[in-house]
Amino acid sequence: MTQPRHQPPPEPHPHTDAQPLHGLRVLDLATLFAGPIAATMLGDFGADVIKIEHPRRPDPSRGHGPAKDGVGLWWKVLGRNKRTVTLDLSTPGGRDTLLRLAATADVVVENFRPGTLEKWGLGWEELSTVNPRLVLTRVTGFGQFGPYAHRPGFGTLAEAMSGFAAITGEPDGPPTLPPFGLADSITALATAYAVMTALSARERTGRGQVVDMAIIEPILSVLGPHALWYDQLGYVQPRTGNRTRNNAPRNTYRTADGSWVAVSTSAQSIAERLMLLVGRPELIDEEWFATAAGRVAHADVLDEAVGSWIARHTRDEALAAFEKAEAAIAPVYDIRDVLADPQFQALDTITELPDPELGTIRMQNVLFRLSETPGAIRWPGRPHGADTADVLAELGLSPAEITSLATEGAL
Protein backbone atom coordinates (compact mmCIF):
# COMPACT_ATOMS: atom_id res chain seq x y z
CA MET A 1 0.00 0.00 0.00
CA THR A 2 1.32 3.42 -0.95
CA GLN A 3 0.16 6.26 1.25
CA PRO A 4 -0.29 9.63 -0.46
CA ARG A 5 2.73 11.82 0.04
CA HIS A 6 2.42 15.11 1.82
CA GLN A 7 4.66 18.14 1.74
CA PRO A 8 3.86 21.51 3.22
CA PRO A 9 2.36 23.66 0.48
CA PRO A 10 4.61 26.41 -0.83
CA GLU A 11 4.14 29.92 0.38
CA PRO A 12 1.62 31.63 -1.91
CA HIS A 13 2.82 34.44 -4.11
CA PRO A 14 1.76 37.77 -2.55
CA HIS A 15 -0.14 38.78 -5.70
CA THR A 16 -1.98 35.47 -6.22
CA ASP A 17 -5.45 36.96 -5.67
CA ALA A 18 -4.75 39.65 -8.26
CA GLN A 19 -3.81 37.22 -11.00
CA PRO A 20 -6.29 37.16 -13.89
CA LEU A 21 -7.07 33.43 -13.74
CA HIS A 22 -7.36 33.25 -9.96
CA GLY A 23 -10.34 31.04 -9.11
CA LEU A 24 -10.03 28.92 -12.25
CA ARG A 25 -9.36 25.24 -11.57
CA VAL A 26 -7.58 23.07 -14.15
CA LEU A 27 -7.06 19.30 -13.94
CA ASP A 28 -3.93 18.37 -15.89
CA LEU A 29 -4.10 14.71 -16.88
CA ALA A 30 -1.72 15.07 -19.82
CA THR A 31 1.93 14.14 -20.42
CA LEU A 32 4.68 14.90 -22.94
CA PHE A 33 4.35 17.88 -23.67
CA ALA A 34 1.72 20.02 -25.37
CA GLY A 35 -1.09 19.53 -22.87
CA PRO A 36 1.05 20.00 -19.76
CA ILE A 37 2.69 23.14 -21.19
CA ALA A 38 -0.75 24.62 -21.87
CA ALA A 39 -1.75 23.89 -18.27
CA THR A 40 1.48 25.52 -17.07
CA MET A 41 0.63 28.67 -19.03
CA LEU A 42 -2.76 28.81 -17.30
CA GLY A 43 -1.14 28.25 -13.92
CA ASP A 44 1.34 31.05 -14.55
CA PHE A 45 -1.55 33.51 -14.49
CA GLY A 46 -3.24 32.23 -11.37
CA ALA A 47 -5.20 29.10 -12.25
CA ASP A 48 -5.22 26.36 -9.61
CA VAL A 49 -3.67 23.57 -11.68
CA ILE A 50 -3.88 20.08 -10.19
CA LYS A 51 -1.52 17.67 -11.92
CA ILE A 52 -2.86 14.11 -11.93
CA GLU A 53 -0.14 11.45 -12.23
CA HIS A 54 -0.25 7.67 -12.08
CA PRO A 55 0.83 6.49 -8.61
CA ARG A 56 3.48 4.10 -9.96
CA ARG A 57 4.30 5.74 -13.31
CA PRO A 58 5.07 9.43 -12.78
CA ASP A 59 4.92 11.92 -15.64
CA PRO A 60 7.77 10.89 -17.99
CA SER A 61 9.03 14.48 -18.12
CA ARG A 62 10.36 13.94 -14.60
CA GLY A 63 12.96 11.68 -16.18
CA HIS A 64 13.58 13.54 -19.44
CA GLY A 65 16.88 15.30 -19.98
CA PRO A 66 19.54 16.18 -17.39
CA ALA A 67 18.94 15.75 -13.66
CA LYS A 68 20.71 17.07 -10.57
CA ASP A 69 20.95 14.89 -7.47
CA GLY A 70 18.27 12.66 -8.97
CA VAL A 71 15.85 15.55 -9.50
CA GLY A 72 14.67 15.98 -13.08
CA LEU A 73 15.18 19.59 -14.16
CA TRP A 74 12.67 19.66 -17.02
CA TRP A 75 9.90 18.89 -14.55
CA LYS A 76 10.81 21.96 -12.49
CA VAL A 77 9.69 24.10 -15.43
CA LEU A 78 6.83 21.95 -16.73
CA GLY A 79 5.41 21.33 -13.25
CA ARG A 80 5.63 24.88 -11.93
CA ASN A 81 2.52 26.38 -10.35
CA LYS A 82 0.92 22.91 -10.22
CA ARG A 83 -0.19 20.87 -7.23
CA THR A 84 0.67 17.20 -7.74
CA VAL A 85 -1.78 14.39 -7.01
CA THR A 86 -1.45 10.66 -7.69
CA LEU A 87 -4.51 8.85 -9.02
CA ASP A 88 -4.93 5.64 -11.02
CA LEU A 89 -7.87 6.49 -13.25
CA SER A 90 -8.34 2.89 -14.34
CA THR A 91 -9.43 1.83 -10.84
CA PRO A 92 -12.98 2.34 -9.51
CA GLY A 93 -11.72 4.55 -6.70
CA GLY A 94 -9.55 6.57 -9.05
CA ARG A 95 -12.44 7.06 -11.46
CA ASP A 96 -14.84 8.17 -8.73
CA THR A 97 -12.27 10.54 -7.25
CA LEU A 98 -11.55 12.09 -10.64
CA LEU A 99 -15.29 12.66 -11.17
CA ARG A 100 -15.46 14.38 -7.79
CA LEU A 101 -12.53 16.58 -8.78
CA ALA A 102 -14.08 17.31 -12.17
CA ALA A 103 -17.23 18.51 -10.45
CA THR A 104 -15.13 21.29 -8.88
CA ALA A 105 -13.08 22.11 -11.98
CA ASP A 106 -13.40 24.45 -14.94
CA VAL A 107 -11.02 22.69 -17.31
CA VAL A 108 -9.68 19.17 -17.82
CA VAL A 109 -6.64 18.74 -20.08
CA GLU A 110 -5.90 15.21 -21.32
CA ASN A 111 -3.86 13.61 -24.08
CA PHE A 112 -4.74 9.92 -23.94
CA ARG A 113 -5.45 8.16 -27.21
CA PRO A 114 -9.08 8.61 -28.31
CA GLY A 115 -11.37 6.25 -26.43
CA THR A 116 -9.14 5.81 -23.37
CA LEU A 117 -11.14 8.05 -21.04
CA GLU A 118 -14.33 6.48 -22.35
CA LYS A 119 -12.94 3.01 -21.55
CA TRP A 120 -12.49 4.16 -17.94
CA GLY A 121 -15.97 5.67 -17.74
CA LEU A 122 -14.53 9.18 -17.81
CA GLY A 123 -15.60 10.39 -21.24
CA TRP A 124 -17.42 13.60 -22.06
CA GLU A 125 -20.79 12.07 -21.22
CA GLU A 126 -19.75 11.24 -17.65
CA LEU A 127 -17.70 14.41 -17.10
CA SER A 128 -20.37 16.77 -18.43
CA THR A 129 -22.99 15.02 -16.34
CA VAL A 130 -21.17 15.88 -13.10
CA ASN A 131 -20.22 19.33 -14.41
CA PRO A 132 -22.08 20.78 -17.41
CA ARG A 133 -19.81 23.87 -17.34
CA LEU A 134 -16.62 21.86 -17.77
CA VAL A 135 -14.27 22.44 -20.70
CA LEU A 136 -12.70 19.11 -21.69
CA THR A 137 -9.52 19.78 -23.65
CA ARG A 138 -8.30 16.80 -25.68
CA VAL A 139 -4.78 17.12 -27.10
CA THR A 140 -3.65 14.27 -29.35
CA GLY A 141 -1.28 13.77 -32.24
CA PHE A 142 -3.96 13.48 -34.91
CA GLY A 143 -7.26 14.57 -33.35
CA GLN A 144 -10.28 12.62 -32.18
CA PHE A 145 -11.37 11.24 -35.58
CA GLY A 146 -9.97 10.34 -38.98
CA PRO A 147 -7.83 7.43 -40.21
CA TYR A 148 -4.83 8.30 -37.99
CA ALA A 149 -6.74 9.16 -34.82
CA HIS A 150 -5.65 6.07 -32.90
CA ARG A 151 -1.99 6.24 -33.85
CA PRO A 152 0.53 7.32 -31.21
CA GLY A 153 1.44 10.91 -31.98
CA PHE A 154 4.30 13.13 -30.86
CA GLY A 155 5.55 16.57 -31.81
CA THR A 156 8.33 15.11 -33.94
CA LEU A 157 5.74 13.50 -36.21
CA ALA A 158 3.92 16.81 -36.52
CA GLU A 159 7.15 18.60 -37.42
CA ALA A 160 7.64 16.06 -40.18
CA MET A 161 4.07 15.89 -41.49
CA SER A 162 3.30 19.62 -41.34
CA GLY A 163 5.90 20.55 -43.93
CA PHE A 164 8.19 22.19 -41.37
CA ALA A 165 11.03 19.69 -41.73
CA ALA A 166 10.77 19.74 -45.52
CA ILE A 167 11.63 23.45 -45.67
CA THR A 168 14.23 23.41 -42.87
CA GLY A 169 17.91 22.78 -43.56
CA GLU A 170 20.39 23.38 -46.34
CA PRO A 171 19.23 22.92 -49.95
CA ASP A 172 21.51 19.92 -50.49
CA GLY A 173 20.98 18.48 -47.01
CA PRO A 174 18.29 16.34 -45.39
CA PRO A 175 15.03 17.65 -43.94
CA THR A 176 15.85 18.96 -40.46
CA LEU A 177 13.96 18.47 -37.21
CA PRO A 178 14.26 20.94 -34.31
CA PRO A 179 16.24 19.78 -31.26
CA PHE A 180 13.41 20.72 -28.90
CA GLY A 181 9.62 20.37 -28.68
CA LEU A 182 8.65 22.96 -31.27
CA ALA A 183 5.34 21.46 -32.40
CA ASP A 184 4.38 20.69 -28.80
CA SER A 185 5.09 24.24 -27.70
CA ILE A 186 3.15 25.78 -30.59
CA THR A 187 0.28 23.41 -29.79
CA ALA A 188 0.44 24.44 -26.13
CA LEU A 189 0.03 28.10 -27.08
CA ALA A 190 -2.91 27.20 -29.32
CA THR A 191 -4.42 25.02 -26.59
CA ALA A 192 -4.24 27.74 -23.96
CA TYR A 193 -5.93 30.08 -26.45
CA ALA A 194 -8.59 27.46 -27.23
CA VAL A 195 -9.31 26.96 -23.52
CA MET A 196 -9.76 30.67 -22.93
CA THR A 197 -11.99 30.89 -26.02
CA ALA A 198 -14.17 28.05 -24.71
CA LEU A 199 -14.34 29.67 -21.29
CA SER A 200 -15.38 32.96 -22.88
CA ALA A 201 -18.16 31.15 -24.75
CA ARG A 202 -19.24 29.57 -21.46
CA GLU A 203 -19.84 33.03 -20.05
CA ARG A 204 -22.55 33.52 -22.69
CA THR A 205 -24.02 30.02 -22.91
CA GLY A 206 -23.47 28.68 -19.39
CA ARG A 207 -22.25 25.42 -20.90
CA GLY A 208 -18.86 23.83 -21.32
CA GLN A 209 -17.68 22.01 -24.42
CA VAL A 210 -14.96 19.77 -25.86
CA VAL A 211 -11.77 21.22 -27.33
CA ASP A 212 -10.27 18.87 -29.95
CA MET A 213 -6.62 19.85 -30.55
CA ALA A 214 -4.47 17.86 -33.00
CA ILE A 215 -0.72 18.50 -32.71
CA ILE A 216 -0.32 18.22 -36.50
CA GLU A 217 -2.41 21.35 -37.06
CA PRO A 218 -1.05 24.38 -35.12
CA ILE A 219 2.48 24.08 -36.53
CA LEU A 220 1.06 23.87 -40.04
CA SER A 221 -0.94 27.03 -39.37
CA VAL A 222 2.12 29.07 -38.36
CA LEU A 223 4.07 28.06 -41.48
CA GLY A 224 2.20 30.70 -43.45
CA PRO A 225 0.56 30.58 -46.89
CA HIS A 226 2.08 27.26 -48.04
CA ALA A 227 -1.27 25.72 -48.89
CA LEU A 228 -2.43 28.79 -50.78
CA TRP A 229 0.84 29.05 -52.71
CA TYR A 230 0.46 25.46 -53.85
CA ASP A 231 -3.27 25.79 -54.48
CA GLN A 232 -2.91 28.83 -56.69
CA LEU A 233 0.58 28.49 -58.15
CA GLY A 234 1.62 24.87 -57.71
CA TYR A 235 4.57 26.28 -55.74
CA VAL A 236 6.28 24.00 -53.18
CA GLN A 237 8.68 25.88 -50.93
CA PRO A 238 12.17 24.33 -51.01
CA ARG A 239 14.85 24.23 -48.33
CA THR A 240 16.94 27.40 -48.48
CA GLY A 241 19.13 27.11 -45.41
CA ASN A 242 19.29 30.45 -43.60
CA ARG A 243 18.18 32.30 -46.68
CA THR A 244 14.56 33.04 -47.55
CA ARG A 245 12.67 33.51 -50.80
CA ASN A 246 11.02 36.61 -49.31
CA ASN A 247 13.98 39.02 -49.04
CA ALA A 248 17.77 39.30 -49.25
CA PRO A 249 20.26 39.60 -47.79
CA ARG A 250 19.05 37.38 -44.98
CA ASN A 251 21.52 34.92 -43.51
CA THR A 252 23.93 34.15 -40.71
CA TYR A 253 27.49 35.39 -41.06
CA ARG A 254 30.70 34.63 -39.20
CA THR A 255 32.62 37.47 -37.57
CA ALA A 256 36.38 37.97 -37.31
CA ASP A 257 36.44 36.58 -33.77
CA GLY A 258 34.57 33.38 -34.71
CA SER A 259 31.11 34.41 -33.53
CA TRP A 260 27.96 34.35 -35.63
CA VAL A 261 25.40 37.06 -36.32
CA ALA A 262 22.03 37.03 -38.07
CA VAL A 263 21.02 39.77 -40.51
CA SER A 264 17.59 40.54 -41.93
CA THR A 265 16.47 43.13 -44.48
CA SER A 266 12.71 42.73 -44.68
CA ALA A 267 12.30 46.46 -45.37
CA GLN A 268 13.74 48.17 -48.45
CA SER A 269 15.14 51.02 -46.35
CA ILE A 270 17.04 48.56 -44.15
CA ALA A 271 18.55 46.89 -47.22
CA GLU A 272 19.75 50.24 -48.50
CA ARG A 273 21.28 51.25 -45.16
CA LEU A 274 23.08 47.92 -45.04
CA MET A 275 24.68 48.40 -48.46
CA LEU A 276 25.89 51.84 -47.41
CA LEU A 277 27.33 50.37 -44.20
CA VAL A 278 29.29 47.61 -45.94
CA GLY A 279 30.66 49.99 -48.56
CA ARG A 280 28.65 48.78 -51.56
CA PRO A 281 26.38 51.77 -52.39
CA GLU A 282 26.53 50.98 -56.10
CA LEU A 283 24.32 47.93 -55.54
CA ILE A 284 21.46 50.19 -54.47
CA ASP A 285 21.42 51.66 -57.98
CA GLU A 286 20.96 48.28 -59.62
CA GLU A 287 17.46 47.90 -61.07
CA TRP A 288 16.96 44.56 -59.37
CA PHE A 289 17.75 45.99 -55.93
CA ALA A 290 14.45 47.87 -55.81
CA THR A 291 12.34 44.76 -55.10
CA ALA A 292 12.61 41.92 -52.61
CA ALA A 293 12.28 39.40 -55.46
CA GLY A 294 15.14 41.08 -57.32
CA ARG A 295 17.38 40.98 -54.27
CA VAL A 296 16.53 37.32 -53.68
CA ALA A 297 17.59 36.55 -57.26
CA HIS A 298 20.96 38.16 -56.51
CA ALA A 299 21.41 36.75 -53.01
CA ASP A 300 24.91 35.46 -53.80
CA VAL A 301 26.10 38.98 -54.63
CA LEU A 302 24.50 40.44 -51.51
CA ASP A 303 25.74 37.67 -49.23
CA GLU A 304 29.28 38.20 -50.47
CA ALA A 305 29.04 41.95 -49.83
CA VAL A 306 27.67 41.56 -46.32
CA GLY A 307 29.61 38.44 -45.37
CA SER A 308 33.00 39.79 -46.40
CA TRP A 309 32.44 43.01 -44.43
CA ILE A 310 31.29 41.14 -41.30
CA ALA A 311 34.23 38.73 -41.60
CA ARG A 312 36.60 41.69 -41.14
CA HIS A 313 34.97 42.81 -37.89
CA THR A 314 34.50 41.31 -34.46
CA ARG A 315 31.01 40.61 -33.22
CA ASP A 316 30.98 43.69 -30.98
CA GLU A 317 32.26 45.89 -33.80
CA ALA A 318 29.61 44.59 -36.18
CA LEU A 319 26.80 45.03 -33.67
CA ALA A 320 27.87 48.59 -32.87
CA ALA A 321 28.19 49.55 -36.54
CA PHE A 322 24.79 48.08 -37.43
CA GLU A 323 23.13 49.86 -34.53
CA LYS A 324 24.68 53.18 -35.59
CA ALA A 325 23.52 52.62 -39.17
CA GLU A 326 20.02 51.56 -37.99
CA ALA A 327 20.38 48.22 -39.77
CA ALA A 328 18.95 44.98 -38.36
CA ILE A 329 21.32 42.49 -36.76
CA ALA A 330 21.36 40.09 -33.82
CA PRO A 331 24.07 37.91 -32.30
CA VAL A 332 23.52 34.16 -32.46
CA TYR A 333 23.28 33.27 -28.77
CA ASP A 334 23.60 30.12 -26.78
CA ILE A 335 22.03 29.97 -23.32
CA ARG A 336 25.13 31.47 -21.69
CA ASP A 337 24.73 34.58 -23.82
CA VAL A 338 21.00 34.76 -23.08
CA LEU A 339 21.66 34.80 -19.34
CA ALA A 340 24.26 37.58 -19.70
CA ASP A 341 22.30 39.79 -22.12
CA PRO A 342 21.18 43.15 -20.63
CA GLN A 343 17.88 43.20 -22.55
CA PHE A 344 16.82 39.81 -21.24
CA GLN A 345 17.98 40.92 -17.77
CA ALA A 346 15.92 44.10 -17.98
CA LEU A 347 12.83 42.08 -18.95
CA ASP A 348 13.54 39.44 -16.26
CA THR A 349 13.05 36.88 -19.02
CA ILE A 350 15.10 34.35 -17.07
CA THR A 351 13.98 34.71 -13.49
CA GLU A 352 15.32 33.39 -10.20
CA LEU A 353 13.26 31.59 -7.58
CA PRO A 354 13.74 29.31 -4.57
CA ASP A 355 13.24 25.54 -4.79
CA PRO A 356 13.06 23.25 -1.74
CA GLU A 357 15.04 20.49 -3.47
CA LEU A 358 17.66 22.42 -5.43
CA GLY A 359 18.00 25.79 -3.70
CA THR A 360 17.94 28.87 -5.92
CA ILE A 361 17.17 28.07 -9.54
CA ARG A 362 16.67 30.02 -12.78
CA MET A 363 14.12 29.38 -15.53
CA GLN A 364 12.11 31.21 -18.18
CA ASN A 365 9.63 33.64 -16.69
CA VAL A 366 5.91 33.84 -17.53
CA LEU A 367 5.14 34.40 -21.19
CA PHE A 368 4.03 38.03 -21.16
CA ARG A 369 3.62 41.03 -18.86
CA LEU A 370 0.28 42.48 -17.75
CA SER A 371 0.31 45.92 -16.18
CA GLU A 372 -2.53 45.36 -13.69
CA THR A 373 -2.81 41.59 -13.14
CA PRO A 374 0.63 40.10 -13.72
CA GLY A 375 1.44 36.42 -13.80
CA ALA A 376 4.02 34.83 -11.52
CA ILE A 377 5.89 31.60 -10.84
CA ARG A 378 4.59 30.77 -7.40
CA TRP A 379 6.64 27.58 -7.09
CA PRO A 380 8.62 25.21 -9.35
CA GLY A 381 7.61 21.61 -10.09
CA ARG A 382 6.86 19.69 -6.92
CA PRO A 383 7.63 16.06 -5.98
CA HIS A 384 5.43 13.24 -7.26
CA GLY A 385 2.18 13.15 -5.29
CA ALA A 386 3.23 15.89 -2.88
CA ASP A 387 -0.25 17.41 -2.66
CA THR A 388 -2.43 14.28 -2.82
CA ALA A 389 -3.50 14.33 0.81
CA ASP A 390 -4.29 18.05 0.83
CA VAL A 391 -6.31 18.02 -2.40
CA LEU A 392 -8.36 14.98 -1.38
CA ALA A 393 -9.03 16.52 2.03
CA GLU A 394 -10.28 19.65 0.24
CA LEU A 395 -12.75 17.38 -1.60
CA GLY A 396 -14.10 16.27 1.76
CA LEU A 397 -12.51 12.83 1.86
CA SER A 398 -11.83 11.58 5.37
CA PRO A 399 -8.47 10.06 6.39
CA ALA A 400 -10.16 6.65 6.36
CA GLU A 401 -11.40 7.16 2.80
CA ILE A 402 -7.97 8.27 1.66
CA THR A 403 -6.42 5.21 3.30
CA SER A 404 -9.00 3.00 1.56
CA LEU A 405 -8.10 4.51 -1.83
CA ALA A 406 -4.43 3.88 -1.15
CA THR A 407 -5.16 0.28 -0.18
CA GLU A 408 -7.05 -0.18 -3.45
CA GLY A 409 -4.04 1.12 -5.38
CA ALA A 410 -5.96 4.15 -6.62
CA LEU A 411 -3.39 6.53 -5.05
Side-chain angles (χ1 to χ4, degrees):
M1 180 181 73
T2 302
Q3 289 286 352
R5 298 173 65 178
H6 174 80
Q7 279 200 352
E11 289 295 320
H13 188 278
H15 302 298
T16 296
D17 290 352
Q19 291 187 287
L21 300 184
H22 177 69
L24 189 76
R25 172 167 283 189
V26 178
L27 305 184
D28 176 9
L29 280 57
T31 59
L32 296 179
F33 282 98
I37 296 173
T40 300
M41 292 174 179
L42 300 174
D44 283 350
F45 286 89
D48 175 22
V49 180
I50 299 175
K51 174 69 177 181
I52 307 296
E53 298 178 80
H54 193 280
R56 292 161 292 281
R57 296 190 298 276
D59 189 304
S61 67
R62 291 181 180 272
H64 266 56
K68 180 180 179 182
D69 299 331
V71 178
L73 300 181
W74 202 332
W75 170 252
K76 289 297 176 183
V77 179
L78 189 64
R80 73 190 194 188
N81 292 334
K82 298 179 182 181
R83 296 196 285 168
T84 64
V85 170
T86 58
L87 208 57
D88 184 347
L89 304 182
S90 68
T91 64
R95 173 191 179 275
D96 292 344
T97 304
L98 193 280
L99 288 174
R100 291 181 66 169
L101 278 169
T104 72
D106 300 280
V107 179
V108 170
V109 181
E110 64 99 1
N111 70 341
F112 299 105
R113 292 196 206 182
T116 301
L117 283 185
E118 285 76 7
K119 178 181 67 177
W120 294 334
L122 291 170
W124 175 240
E125 182 177 347
E126 291 85 1
L127 291 171
S128 62
T129 296
V130 300
N131 185 354
R133 291 173 55 82
L134 188 70
V135 172
L136 174 59
T137 307
R138 319 196 79 165
V139 185
T140 56
F142 303 102
Q144 293 296 308
F145 57 90
Y148 303 161
H150 289 274
R151 292 183 181 180
F154 298 99
T156 297
L157 309 188
E159 288 147 10
M161 291 180 64
S162 65
F164 170 85
I167 65 171
T168 304
E170 294 299 324
D172 57 351
T176 301
L177 297 167
F180 67 101
L182 177 63
D184 281 305
S185 298
I186 294 172
T187 300
L189 287 163
T191 301
Y193 168 59
V195 166
M196 298 311 299
T197 301
L199 291 173
S200 178
R202 189 181 72 174
E203 293 303 304
R204 297 194 310 275
T205 67
R207 301 189 306 277
Q209 59 184 297
V210 177
V211 173
D212 179 4
M213 181 66 69
I215 298 174
I216 57 173
E217 292 183 308
I219 186 171
L220 198 155
S221 295
V222 303
L223 289 179
H226 289 198
L228 185 60
W229 283 342
Y230 181 75
D231 175 65
Q232 295 297 302
L233 302 172
Y235 175 72
V236 178
Q237 182 174 342
R239 289 190 291 283
T240 56
N242 290 320
R243 289 181 174 179
T244 173
R245 293 293 178 95
N246 299 322
N247 65 78
R250 191 264 201 178
N251 215 325
T252 57
Y253 306 92
R254 193 164 193 171
T255 64
D257 55 352
S259 298
W260 290 87
V261 293
V263 172
S264 179
T265 56
S266 294
Q268 179 71 21
S269 59
I270 298 293
E272 293 175 2
R273 291 174 200 161
L274 180 52
M275 291 304 104
L276 293 174
L277 171 63
V278 301
R280 298 295 300 274
E282 76 281 3
L283 294 177
I284 300 174
D285 297 327
E286 295 286 350
E287 183 178 350
W288 51 262
F289 194 88
T291 66
R295 295 198 306 275
V296 168
H298 294 80
D300 287 343
V301 174
L302 296 172
D303 269 346
E304 192 283 327
V306 176
S308 61
W309 185 92
I310 289 177
R312 298 193 300 272
H313 297 79
T314 66
R315 185 179 78 172
D316 289 346
E317 290 170 347
L319 295 176
F322 268 70
E323 183 172 359
K324 185 177 180 180
E326 297 185 7
I329 190 173
V332 176
Y333 277 171
D334 64 22
I335 189 59
R336 295 167 294 186
D337 301 308
V338 170
L339 291 172
D341 183 88
Q343 181 62 33
F344 284 127
Q345 290 175 355
L347 296 174
D348 196 29
T349 305
I350 306 295
T351 197
E352 190 174 275
L353 64 152
D355 178 74
E357 295 179 289
L358 299 174
T360 300
I361 62 176
R362 291 181 289 181
M363 67 175 65
Q364 296 95 324
N365 209 336
V366 300
L367 194 58
F368 49 87
R369 286 165 289 280
L370 296 179
S371 62
E372 299 299 322
T373 55
I377 303 174
R378 302 188 298 281
W379 60 82
R382 288 171 52 69
H384 182 229
D387 303 289
T388 301
D390 287 340
V391 171
L392 297 187
E394 289 173 8
L395 276 181
L397 273 70
S398 68
E401 289 174 306
I402 294 174
T403 298
S404 176
L405 287 171
T407 302
E408 179 190 336
L411 304 181

